[in-house]
Amino acid sequence: MTTVTVTLAAILLSLAGIIVLTATDPKRRRVSGLPEARRRPAALASVLIFAPGIALLIAGQSAAFVMWLAAVPLAGWLLAALPPRHGDSRRQQAEKL
């Protein structure tokens, strides 16, 4: 596999973990008026985020690791910057009554 392919696969796996954490974040859900998540698989998300980087190091893919190390925090910041999708917030529900 080429370095670019390996790097993209590692970034996508880590991005999946970041998306899981973002979607189940209690404060983010509360502010946007969404119901609480049933459970928060933080351990699984952490493995998804960090395992690709560790695998790249073990495989000796130093260039891919550096690209992964730059892209994952950037993706996390971009997801954090996106406003959460809003459900009917409690304030809006109270105003309807």
Side-chain angles (χ1 to χ4, degrees), residues 17-29 36-46 49:
I18 293 171
I19 290 170
V20 167
L21 284 179
T22 303
T24 59
D25 181 35
K27 184 175 182 181
R28 188 175 177 92
R29 295 181 69 82
E36 288 187 29
R38 288 186 296 240
R39 62 185 191 100
R40 186 161 193 232
L44 172 66
S46 298
I49 293 170

Side-chain angles (χ1 to χ4, degrees), residues 64 76 91-92:
R91 183 180 305 147
Q92 289 172 344

Side-chain angles (χ1 to χ4, degrees), residues 1-4 8 11 19 21 23-24 32 34-35 40 48 52-53 56 58 68 71 73 83 86-87 89:
M1 293 178 111
T2 65
T3 302
V4 174
L8 286 175
I11 290 169
I19 290 170
L21 284 179
T24 59
S32 63
L34 296 171
R40 186 161 193 232
L48 279 174
L56 290 174
I58 291 171
W68 172 84
H86 288 279
S89 68

Side-chain angles (χ1 to χ4, degrees), residues 61-88:
Q61 296 280 337
S62 58
F65 176 76
V66 170
M67 289 185 274
W68 172 84
L69 192 60
V72 170
L74 180 64
W77 275 102
L78 289 174
L79 278 175
L82 291 175
R85 62 184 184 106
H86 288 279
D88 275 345

